[in-house]
Amino acid sequence: ETTTDTLAAVVRAEPEWSLLPPATPSRVHMLLQRCLQKDPKQRLRDIGEARIAIDEVLSGVPEPASPSAGAAAVLAPLWRRAVPWALFGVMAIAFAALVFVHFRESQPAPPEPMRFEVPVPEKMLSGSAGVFALSPDGRELAFVAAGADGISRIWVRSINSLEPRLVSGSELPGGTPFFWSPDSRYIAFGASGKLKTIDLSTGTVDTLCDVSGLVIGGSWNRDGVILFGQASGVILRVSANGGSPTPVTSRDASGGQHVLPWFLPNGIHFLYHRFSSNPETTGIYVGSLDIPAEKQSSKRLLATGYGAVYVPSSDPNLGRLLYLTNDGTLMAQPFNARLLELAGEAVPVAQQVETSHDYGFFSASATGTLIYRRGSEGVYQLTWYDREGKALGTAGEPGDYGYQALSPDGSRAVAIRRDPQNKTEGLWMFDFQHDTNTRFTFGSGDAVFSTWSSDGSRVIFESSPGEYDLYQKPTNGATGEELLLKSNETKRPSDVSRDGRFLLYTSFDPKRNADLWVLPLAGNQKPFPFLQTRFNEEDGHFSPDGRWVAYVSDESGRDEIYVRPFSSDLSAAEASGAGAKWQVSYGGGQEPRWSADGNQLHYLTFDWKLMEVDVATSPIFQAGTPKLLFQAPPQPSLTYGNYTVDSKRFLFIAPTEHAEQAPFTVLLNWQAALEKRQ
């Protein structure tokens, strides 16, 4: 209508501003008026009718009589000289008007939704380690894959290309979500205790800041602000130019971890996932850069165990949230980004989408493309390795495994296995002597992190519902699970002293960071703190002689391995971190494990290198220089429990060599299908 009004205004304009000569024939004016009629019944039907009027002018048919006929006769020579130019202008304007009106009233049908599958690249990591992300402009797909050296890196494949290209300098732990810049030029990722960005056009890698532990998702707005989450902590912000990160959310009574932020269109508000052992507080929340961390809203937007993303639509204020239900159904929820409110009923988009912890394997661009992967069964297996990194053999059947713990005599192990049907996690027992694996826990809730009693007669583990309390169960086939410790904090067991007297566990207090506690397994069984500071301390392990504890702390700004002396009569000062300590790792470390004789400490770097440190534990503790043993296989878990040590062998949860991976499913114009249903 704007174009029509403009044309009409041109015709009505004063002669000196008109596109037509001042003495344009009245038939020409009438022709233009008919071309510009809004009523289809009054408007010229096609250019053929215009030709009739133009022929009349060219043949000299007299103009209709009018009060100004005398003046027209005087000006006749003028308009006859201007006829060729006038007719050219009339035909051009008439044609443009007809074309405009035709396409205005006959809009082309919206493109139809299209679904097809794309095989995953051969190098792509299997299962939950194979994360991917579609660029905001929908032109490139980035994914994590291992090279010939076994190191996980980011690869990028253009949608119009068959071959992916390696992004040099993008070494990162498998299973760590990365994210794009809004202009699709950069990728940001966490590696070796740093948040980094890489320019895909130049290959330049920049370090933005130190991070504590692994980076779990992030988002980048058009003002150069980056948000990111960590494995244990809150959402932090940092400039895309680098600097010191500052928190934008804070832990409250609900506790848990804040991860997977996602900016909304205004670049100020953002979504993030809050995971807690309490299902009533787990879900999607909305935060704001303009609100202090401790005052962010505690109102839950969606109840889901996985992160969500916002996808815009033709309406600048009304888009859709994509999120997963607990059974792996991908849902699209209308959302008003201006009012920060749900705006209708959610509808399913896809079924059986693969998940890993609180991360869903789907990605969407702002251009109408959606990519997801269905769950892949049998992609991990317990695998033995020697000191050179050579695979010695496997145990049990392939499956979706997590944290594993080896029995004291090395004959059995327990590991988390996810049930693909109901998405719950339980413990399975592996018997290496009989080459069997059977389900060990049968409760309705999740049974996850575990450790063994010193004599191998019991397994101690954390389980929900509730705040992930500690339970124990006999390993002789007897049924029944005994509650060992109940409290208001989430608890994670990590080790039992060799004499069987003490259990080390991590306590996640909502009002504090992670701390190390000790539970006496005999006597009054009253827990006491081993290390309780303002930093995160977790994954503690006793030395074989029981005199030392190796653990992970982020007191330096990133996770490193430390050792402290242990005594059952620790003072309050020692528990607060005032006692002696030794740093063992340098450049980041996780999962400390003692050798059977206590002469070495092993740990993993963030890019899955297995390191070894020679140590002495008597009469005082001494540590040598860390040395590389071998590049470990990419792990499925972002937390600890990926490997254990048995004398000179190492048991890892490793990707199977010939597992058939689910392909990418690509949906084009997927929102059009939803609009038809609504």
Side-chain angles (χ1 to χ4, degrees):
E1 293 182 6
T2 302
T3 305
T4 303
D5 294 341
T6 302
L7 291 173
V10 169
V11 175
R12 293 193 301 268
E14 294 296 328
E16 60 267 29
W17 298 107
S18 177
L19 292 176
L20 302 179
T24 302
S26 59
R27 283 192 176 89
V28 172
H29 281 283
M30 293 173 61
L31 175 61
L32 280 178
Q33 290 174 0
R34 290 190 61 193
C35 288
L36 298 173
Q37 287 292 331
K38 293 185 178 181
D39 185 352
K41 296 180 180 180
Q42 302 297 323
R43 190 172 58 240
L44 205 68
R45 288 179 298 177
D46 53 49
I47 200 66
E49 293 189 28
R51 182 66 186 176
I52 296 174
I54 293 170
D55 287 342
E56 290 179 350
V57 174
L58 292 175
S59 62
V61 175
E63 289 291 307
S66 67
S68 57
V74 175
L75 295 174
L78 292 176
W79 69 257
R80 290 186 185 278
R81 291 194 302 267
V83 161
W85 294 104
L87 293 181
F88 176 81
V90 169
M91 292 184 68
I93 295 174
F95 180 75
L98 289 173
V99 169
F100 169 78
V101 173
H102 170 74
F103 282 102
R104 182 188 65 179
E105 294 188 349
S106 304
Q107 292 291 339
E112 288 294 318
M114 182 181 300
R115 183 192 304 260
F116 57 92
E117 292 185 343
V118 177
V120 299
E122 292 183 0
K123 298 182 178 64
M124 186 168 181
L125 297 185
S126 58
S128 57
V131 296
F132 61 90
L134 188 63
S135 62
D137 61 11
R139 296 179 178 178
E140 296 187 300
L141 177 66
F143 57 89
V144 177
D149 55 6
I151 298 177
S152 305
R153 296 180 177 89
I154 297 174
W155 296 66
V156 174
R157 172 182 169 177
S158 297
I159 298 301
N160 60 356
S161 173
L162 297 178
E163 291 297 325
R165 66 184 187 276
L166 172 65
V167 181
S168 299
S170 63
E171 295 82 2
L172 80 170
T176 305
F178 53 87
F179 53 100
W180 290 82
S181 63
D183 60 3
S184 301
R185 179 180 174 184
Y186 299 86
I187 289 178
F189 61 98
S192 302
K194 307 285 186 180
L195 179 65
K196 303 179 180 182
T197 61
I198 187 163
D199 187 332
L200 297 181
S201 62
T202 65
T204 303
V205 179
D206 291 318
T207 297
L208 302 187
C209 63
D210 292 331
V211 297
S212 176
L214 299 172
V215 173
I216 312 297
S219 191
W220 189 332
N221 73 8
R222 296 189 178 279
D223 296 324
V225 176
I226 289 177
L227 298 179
F228 64 95
Q230 297 181 114
S232 58
V234 296
I235 303 297
L236 296 105
R237 67 177 288 177
V238 68
S239 169
N241 296 320
S244 298
T246 56
V248 295
T249 66
S250 64
R251 294 194 178 193
D252 53 25
S254 67
Q257 60 178 195
H258 302 170
V259 294
L260 300 171
W262 188 275
F263 271 116
L264 293 173
N266 63 9
I268 297 175
H269 293 96
F270 58 92
L271 308 170
Y272 68 98
H273 186 249
R274 183 182 294 179
F275 177 81
S276 169
S277 58
N278 182 1
E280 297 300 320
T281 57
T282 294
I284 304 300
Y285 291 75
V286 177
S288 173
L289 298 182
D290 292 341
I291 298 177
E294 65 277 6
K295 295 184 179 180
Q296 296 287 359
S297 173
S298 60
K299 180 182 178 181
R300 184 172 63 176
L301 187 66
L302 284 170
T304 174
Y306 307 99
V309 303
Y310 175 87
V311 183
S313 67
S314 56
D315 186 331
N317 294 321
L318 187 64
R320 287 184 171 89
L321 301 183
L322 286 174
Y323 70 97
L324 287 174
T325 62
N326 291 336
D327 65 356
T329 300
L330 182 60
M331 305 293 291
Q333 167 67 61
F335 180 73
N336 190 310
R338 182 175 61 86
L339 301 177
L340 305 178
E341 295 178 351
L342 305 182
E345 296 296 325
V347 295
V349 177
Q351 306 289 334
Q352 299 178 338
V353 177
E354 185 174 11
T355 60
S356 173
H357 301 282
D358 43 16
Y359 177 77
F361 283 71
F362 65 91
S363 184
S365 72
T367 57
T369 301
L370 169 64
I371 297 181
Y372 67 89
R373 286 184 64 194
R374 299 184 187 274
S376 300
E377 283 299 304
V379 294
Y380 285 95
Q381 195 166 19
L382 268 65
T383 306
W384 290 102
Y385 291 82
D386 64 14
R387 290 178 54 82
E388 284 71 44
K390 179 182 177 181
L392 301 176
T394 59
E397 63 184 14
D400 189 1
Y401 296 112
Y403 181 102
Q404 51 97 355
L406 191 64
S407 65
D409 63 1
S411 65
R412 293 172 293 177
V414 287
I416 301 170
R417 185 172 185 177
R418 175 171 294 189
D419 186 329
Q421 300 300 321
N422 55 28
K423 302 297 181 181
T424 60
E425 295 177 322
L427 294 179
W428 285 65
M429 179 72 70
F430 293 79
D431 187 327
F432 305 132
Q433 294 178 343
H434 300 91
D435 194 24
T436 61
N437 62 316
T438 56
R439 185 163 185 167
F440 182 67
T441 58
F442 295 88
S444 58
D446 288 336
V448 282
F449 297 92
S450 62
T451 189
W452 291 74
S453 63
S454 59
D455 60 2
S457 64
R458 292 163 293 144
V459 170
I460 299 171
F461 59 94
E462 64 170 298
S463 182
S464 64
E467 293 294 339
Y468 281 98
D469 295 317
L470 300 183
Y471 294 79
Q472 63 179 356
K473 181 179 179 179
T475 59
N476 59 5
T479 59
E481 301 169 356
E482 176 189 353
L483 178 64
L484 190 62
L485 178 63
K486 183 178 180 62
S487 67
N488 294 327
E489 302 83 33
T490 294
K491 298 159 288 296
R492 181 171 296 169
S494 54
D495 197 21
V496 174
S497 60
R498 187 163 291 188
D499 60 12
R501 297 174 57 196
F502 303 104
L503 167 69
L504 263 175
Y505 68 93
T506 304
S507 175
F508 298 91
D509 189 327
K511 298 180 181 179
R512 302 176 56 89
N513 289 321
D515 297 314
L516 284 173
W517 283 69
V518 178
L519 174 67
L521 296 177
N524 61 14
Q525 295 186 305
K526 182 179 180 180
F528 60 89
F530 170 72
L531 192 55
Q532 193 175 38
T533 74
R534 62 189 180 92
F535 305 107
N536 289 292
E537 301 93 19
E538 53 187 325
D539 198 13
H541 289 264
F542 290 108
S543 62
D545 61 12
R547 298 178 56 206
W548 311 93
V549 169
Y551 64 96
V552 179
S553 173
D554 64 358
E555 62 181 81
S556 68
R558 63 183 173 192
D559 286 352
E560 299 282 5
I561 308 299
Y562 298 86
V563 171
R564 285 179 179 270
F566 174 77
S567 173
S568 59
D569 57 355
L570 285 169
S571 67
E574 290 173 321
S576 65
K581 67 178 178 182
W582 292 263
Q583 183 173 339
V584 174
S585 67
Y586 297 91
Q590 57 186 332
E591 303 195 52
R593 300 291 186 269
W594 298 88
S595 62
D597 58 12
N599 292 330
Q600 289 88 27
L601 256 177
H602 303 92
Y603 66 90
L604 286 174
T605 63
F606 297 130
D607 53 358
W608 308 124
K609 290 182 174 66
L610 180 62
M611 309 297 291
E612 182 178 77
V613 183
D614 292 327
V615 298
T617 59
S618 181
I620 62 173
F621 181 83
Q622 293 178 301
T625 302
K627 59 184 179 182
L628 172 66
L629 281 188
F630 59 87
Q631 178 69 46
Q635 297 299 292
S637 175
L638 300 178
T639 56
Y640 48 81
N642 295 294
Y643 82 107
T644 47
V645 182
D646 172 32
S647 185
K648 300 300 182 180
R649 298 188 304 170
F650 301 90
L651 183 64
F652 277 90
I653 299 175
T656 55
E657 292 185 3
H658 305 293
E660 182 177 350
Q661 292 208 61
F664 292 116
T665 298
V666 182
L667 296 180
L668 302 179
N669 309 311
W670 59 274
Q671 295 199 64
L674 301 185
E675 292 169 357
K676 288 183 178 180
R677 283 189 276 171
Q678 293 177 337

